[in-house]
Amino acid sequence: MAFPRMKTALKIIMVVPAALFAGLVLYEMTLAHSRIWLLAGIFLGAVLFHGLVESIYQLDVRGLWSHRKQMLVTVALSFALAMVFWLDLSGYDSYLPKMGSIKSMNIEDSSVCMESEHWGKPAAGLEGQEMEAAYNLISDIVSDKPWKDSGQAFHNITVTYTLGHGRKAVRRYNIPVEKYMDQLDWLYQCRDFKEDNCSVLTADSRKISEISVSVFNPDIPYEMMYENVEKKDREEFRKIYSEELAELKYSEVMKEIPVGSLEVFYYSGLDDPGNGAEESNLSATMGITHYIYPSFSKTIEWLTKKGYVDKIQREGQYKIRQITLYRNDGENQMNQVTCTVKDPALIEEVKSKLVPADLVQGGSLLDLDPNVTIDVEYVSGRDVWTVGMQADSETVKKLENAAEK
């Protein structure tokens, strides 16, 4: 405002990023259903912020509609910049370093384990033949354009390329799940990949402060089913579980519902696990959730043999009193149709089909109705527990047809 010649330039510098942000917000608010909302948000944002800046310049609200030619230029610049990213005109998304220049590739995948920090052995990345195979997979994805707007389910990975002189390049890739399922299964069974993403496979056992485990039983509220693995059994259990976790395939994560879970608590930021760390207060630890899949037969057998499954099920004096369904109506997520089922015979028939929400990993190929959430109410004497669950479409339909509305 002190330098009139700079007003137009400063206005563009402020309005264009604000318009892009407005478009992104509207696009995300509509759950990324259509890029039309992105363009609409950019247009509205450019018009609104241009008028706002002009009103400030002129100290008059009537400045909202002044300098309309400049407003159109700002809208055009905003659209042009959006197109640069939309069409990847800069080549950023399609960037792929030459194979000969890569020393190692580190692939981060949150579907293996939702870690906030890596607390195991330092990540080494893929090298040699494994790196070459992963590179070929990513090369195929980068050059595979048709699937991108086809509505397919996709999977995200983040790749860090370590190049010559220690330089690093980081890119994020979306992988169409069904088309590349075999390659993703191969990647998941690379030991180096698993160790880089799942600290429990390599961490010093002295860093682990507690392991609590649960195996699902439909007759018990899931929140009550956790049992701590005794310290004397902890390392043996971790070894057995880690062996099966290392063999876990991507297709299992996408298609199989876990039969249980475990939470591993560890001492965060502790480089030297000695010096009485085992006596540290639990509040100084962090927890990571892992899952027990149907193929983890050795893990389940060990938990049964050691009596942990029996300990977990000792609370089995509960019964299900009622099941309440909440269905989201179309795209209006706030409009919920509710129905309740109290018929004991029907509850007994369907209870094995109900899956605790805590065990649903968001696998895009799971046979569960994504538009229905279920509250299962357990009672034992005066105690009442409500557990959030999901079910397949057939079970949901059966419950809705028989519900007391």
Side-chain angles (χ1 to χ4, degrees), residues 22-87:
L24 182 62
V25 169
L26 188 57
Y27 182 59
E28 294 294 338
M29 286 177 64
T30 57
L31 304 178
H33 283 313
S34 172
R35 288 183 178 176
I36 292 175
W37 292 108
L38 174 67
L39 299 177
I42 291 173
F43 177 79
L44 293 173
V47 172
L48 175 63
F49 288 112
H50 179 277
L52 180 62
V53 172
E54 275 298 330
S55 296
I56 294 173
Y57 278 173
Q58 300 176 30
L59 299 179
D60 188 343
V61 72
R62 288 174 293 184
L64 277 170
W65 297 107
S66 61
H67 297 297
R68 295 181 186 178
K69 290 183 178 179
Q70 291 183 14
M71 181 187 295
L72 292 176
V73 170
T74 304
V75 171
L77 286 174
S78 300
F79 280 145
L81 190 55
M83 288 300 103
V84 169
F85 294 102
W86 189 335
L87 302 175

Side-chain angles (χ1 to χ4, degrees), residues 203-318:
D204 188 317
S205 60
R206 293 174 295 174
K207 282 189 174 183
I208 299 175
S209 63
E210 181 182 325
I211 298 177
S212 61
V213 64
S214 173
V215 178
F216 177 52
N217 182 332
D219 291 318
I220 309 172
Y222 192 65
E223 288 85 350
M224 298 185 63
M225 295 171 61
Y226 285 92
E227 182 69 29
N228 289 336
V229 177
E230 295 181 22
K231 190 173 181 179
K232 63 182 178 63
D233 293 332
R234 196 182 296 162
E235 190 56 29
E236 182 182 1
F237 171 71
R238 186 174 75 132
K239 180 180 178 181
I240 293 172
Y241 177 78
S242 295
E243 288 176 357
E244 298 194 299
L245 177 63
E247 296 298 320
L248 178 67
K249 295 181 179 180
Y250 178 76
S251 55
E252 291 181 72
V253 177
M254 287 292 103
K255 298 178 180 180
E256 299 287 343
I257 299 171
V259 297
S261 63
L262 58 137
E263 192 159 7
V264 180
F265 294 89
Y266 66 96
Y267 297 104
S268 177
L270 187 64
D271 294 325
D272 181 8
N275 302 320
E278 293 82 354
E279 286 75 39
S280 296
N281 191 294
L282 188 60
S283 64
T285 69
M286 297 183 67
I288 298 292
T289 301
H290 298 268
Y291 295 91
I292 302 172
Y293 288 87
S295 63
F296 288 20
S297 57
K298 294 180 181 178
T299 299
I300 298 170
E301 181 183 354
W302 186 91
L303 289 170
T304 302
K305 180 180 178 181
K306 289 288 185 175
Y308 287 102
V309 172
D310 289 340
K311 290 179 182 178
I312 290 168
Q313 295 179 358
R314 72 182 184 277
E315 301 288 349
Q317 302 301 316
Y318 283 79

